Amino acid sequence: MSKGVRVFCFQLKQELVQVRVLILFMILAVFIYSYLEPVADLAQAASEKVSPWAFPHLINDYICQMVFLVSAVFLFSTAPFEGKAHYYIIQRSGRFSWQLGNVLYILASSFLFVGVIWVFSVISLLSQTRFSGDWGIIWGTLARTNAGNQYGVPFTVFAYIVGVFSPVEATAISFLLEWACVAWMGLVVYLFNYITKKMTGILAMSFR
């Protein structure tokens, strides 16, 4: 187990600092900011601050979900993560510990990936944010009126979410479900790539 944890730590340091991963996060930041900009415009026009609970509504949007999951597949596209030190590490740790470390890496990086999306969703509205534990006027207005159409908000805020769940509940449930989805996709990509020794995991997920 300890060897698997060391492999996990090695993969975390090696994979998440790659240029392609940093560029991916930058693209996600720009996408989320542009998606939430109309909400900030609405808040400014209404002279109201918006509470920082955009994350559940983004996760519930079809276009956002498609962008996030395609990004997740790209994040794990290099699975089974066989870098220059691959054979050396297997000799030192054993194949089981190598596989265990990779699975732990996929679970941890999936959590980090979803966490980054949540952070970007908060930062994007920071200039118009009022931190509170309730949905606030803006999210309630978007859920119950057509203000979203008037200001070009590209996603739907469902009245059911705002009415049934508290912001913390909606965020926690959305986060855990998205983490499970991203981790599952990462494991599928890893499995197919490992078995075929080719990047067939991406093809497999395209038929999902």
Side-chain angles (χ1 to χ4, degrees):
M1 182 66 180
S2 61
K3 290 182 178 179
V5 172
R6 286 198 291 270
V7 171
F8 153 69
C9 293
F10 173 81
Q11 294 290 43
L12 204 62
K13 294 175 183 177
Q14 175 177 269
E15 292 293 324
L16 290 183
V17 297
Q18 291 188 18
V19 174
R20 67 180 188 85
V21 175
L22 299 177
I23 292 175
L24 173 64
F25 285 151
M26 289 174 60
I27 292 173
L28 281 175
V30 172
F31 171 77
I32 293 171
Y33 177 83
S34 64
Y35 227 65
L36 291 176
E37 189 175 18
V39 178
D41 293 340
L42 170 61
Q44 187 175 26
S47 298
E48 289 285 348
K49 295 295 184 180
V50 57
S51 57
W53 304 110
F55 181 81
H57 307 299
L58 293 181
I59 295 300
N60 200 47
D61 180 69
Y62 176 77
I63 299 297
C64 279
Q65 190 67 279
M66 183 172 62
V67 170
F68 295 156
L69 294 185
V70 168
S71 300
V73 171
F74 179 77
L75 178 67
F76 298 120
S77 62
T78 57
F81 318 115
E82 296 177 352
K84 294 180 180 179
H86 167 63
Y87 293 107
Y88 172 75
I89 294 175
I90 284 186
Q91 297 258 340
R92 292 289 303 272
S93 64
R95 191 165 294 277
F96 174 78
S97 295
W98 169 262
Q99 302 287 9
L100 176 61
N102 283 335
V103 170
L104 291 175
Y105 164 73
I106 289 174
L107 295 177
S109 57
S110 298
F111 186 90
L112 179 62
F113 177 81
V114 179
V116 166
I117 292 174
W118 173 74
V119 170
F120 287 158
S121 73
V122 174
I123 293 176
S124 296
L125 293 173
L126 209 54
S127 62
Q128 299 294 330
T129 294
R130 174 181 63 85
F131 289 94
S132 67
D134 54 48
W135 288 110
I137 293 175
I138 297 300
W139 295 118
T141 300
L142 287 172
R144 298 181 179 94
T145 70
N146 66 345
N149 292 333
Q150 295 177 17
Y151 283 85
V153 177
F155 59 93
T156 301
V157 177
F158 289 94
Y160 178 81
I161 295 177
V162 174
V164 174
F165 299 100
S166 72
V168 175
E169 288 175 334
T171 299
I173 293 170
S174 299
F175 193 102
L176 291 175
L177 289 176
E178 190 72 1
W179 179 27
C181 186
V182 171
W184 176 75
M185 293 182 69
L187 291 172
V188 170
V189 171
Y190 177 78
L191 178 64
F192 275 82
N193 285 3
Y194 180 77
I195 291 175
T196 63
K197 306 300 180 184
K198 297 178 181 179
M199 296 177 69
T200 55
I202 299 176
L203 184 63
M205 290 313 304
S206 68
F207 290 106
R208 171 181 173 271

